[in-house]
Amino acid sequence: MVGSIGISKIKTAIFISGNGSNMKNLIKFSKLKTSPIYVDLVLSSNKKANGIRYLKKNKIVYKIFNFKKKKDENKVLKILKKKKINLICLAGFMKILSKDFIKKFNGKILNIHPSLLPKYKGLNTHERVIMNNEKFSGCTVHIVNSKLDSGKIILQKEVRISKKDNPKTLSKKILKQEHVLYPKALKKFLSKT
Ligand code: GAR
């Protein structure tokens, strides 16, 4: 368990697949008194995810599921139910959850995506944005529904692209904004539910 159990704090699970910088940021956020969440569990779809190092170091409960089979999702659902998780934050989670899974957590799964949705859904966002000579990109926190990167938008942040930017520098710029946006979006979302 991470963060103090404030009676009104929402029991949250974070799903990751990679570096986990958003996860780290959300865990730090959850420890603040003013945070509406506390992180009870982290699930990784990748046993080699960099984020796991942080979890080990900080003795945070985590589990690994590859989410390849229905069986995995069912096991995950069981764990989430047992732990009475009320909210799932996808944070660099690169698997697509089944319609069934999403239905069971209807309206209670949030995702952060590195573009100004509805533009640039899916993968390789920064490469496509740069190829198209866009002047702006950004990040979006949205509710997950059964269509990829299409659920209701909670908050977005625009980021200006300079002529010198490449996918790597743009990704870095946007990630910095993601770390500000996700906690803000959680506060907004949870003040309404
Ligand atoms: C972030 O930029 C996040 O928006 C993106 O992956 C990165 C993960 O970074 N997510 C997606 O593309 C989801 N489709 P992190 O592991 O350091 O948080």
Side-chain angles (χ1 to χ4, degrees):
M1 205 265 303
V2 184
S4 61
I5 303 186
I7 290 167
S8 59
K9 285 199 179 193
I10 305 289
K11 275 189 143 211
T12 302
I14 301 177
F15 287 16
I16 64 164
S17 300
N19 277 330
S21 74
N22 275 291
M23 167 203 77
K24 236 188 266 181
N25 183 58
L26 288 182
I27 289 174
K28 282 188 184 147
F29 168 67
S30 76
K31 290 178 179 171
L32 301 177
K33 267 195 180 149
T34 52
S35 164
I37 62 159
Y38 71 92
V39 179
D40 213 26
L41 174 70
V42 177
L43 292 187
S44 173
S45 66
N46 170 9
K47 65 177 183 216
K48 290 185 178 149
N50 273 336
I52 291 175
R53 261 187 263 153
Y54 176 85
L55 298 169
K56 278 187 180 155
K57 201 171 147 199
N58 290 281
K59 300 194 170 60
I60 292 163
V61 178
Y62 72 91
K63 295 193 184 297
I64 294 161
F65 287 97
N66 66 19
F67 287 85
K68 269 192 190 142
K69 295 182 191 139
K70 185 95 189 121
K71 236 172 45 188
D72 292 327
E73 275 198 353
N74 287 340
K75 277 187 198 159
V76 169
L77 280 168
K78 253 192 192 164
I79 292 170
L80 296 175
K81 198 169 169 194
K82 197 171 159 203
K83 283 194 158 275
K84 296 192 171 70
I85 296 292
N86 284 315
L87 182 73
I88 298 172
C89 291
L90 307 184
F93 183 68
M94 304 313 263
K95 297 276 175 167
I96 295 177
L97 295 167
S98 74
K99 285 190 176 136
D100 257 14
F101 188 100
I102 293 167
K103 217 169 160 187
K104 292 204 169 105
F105 263 84
N106 196 17
K108 290 179 175 172
I109 308 175
L110 303 187
N111 181 39
I112 187 148
H113 184 76
S115 80
L116 294 173
L117 292 174
K119 289 175 101 180
Y120 301 100
K121 296 172 184 174
L123 297 175
N124 305 320
T125 317
H126 308 305
E127 284 81 355
R128 289 184 286 138
V129 162
I130 299 266
M131 278 256 290
N132 288 343
N133 289 316
E134 298 278 6
K135 300 270 180 297
F136 292 95
S137 186
C139 43
T140 304
V141 175
H142 66 94
I143 301 173
V144 172
N145 67 9
S146 58
K147 286 193 190 143
L148 183 70
D149 299 329
S150 298
K152 187 173 182 259
I153 290 171
I154 301 167
L155 274 183
Q156 292 188 304
K157 174 76 182 172
E158 210 174 65
V159 170
R160 185 187 282 275
I161 304 171
S162 84
K163 287 207 176 103
K164 286 185 200 152
D165 272 325
N166 56 47
K168 208 172 163 190
T169 58
L170 181 61
S171 148
K172 227 172 154 182
K173 265 188 192 172
I174 292 179
L175 206 51
K176 202 170 161 197
Q177 294 307 322
E178 289 184 31
H179 297 162
V180 180
L181 193 72
Y182 216 158
K184 255 194 193 171
L186 274 165
K187 279 188 173 171
K188 182 176 174 195
F189 175 70
L190 291 169
S191 70
K192 286 182 182 163
T193 49

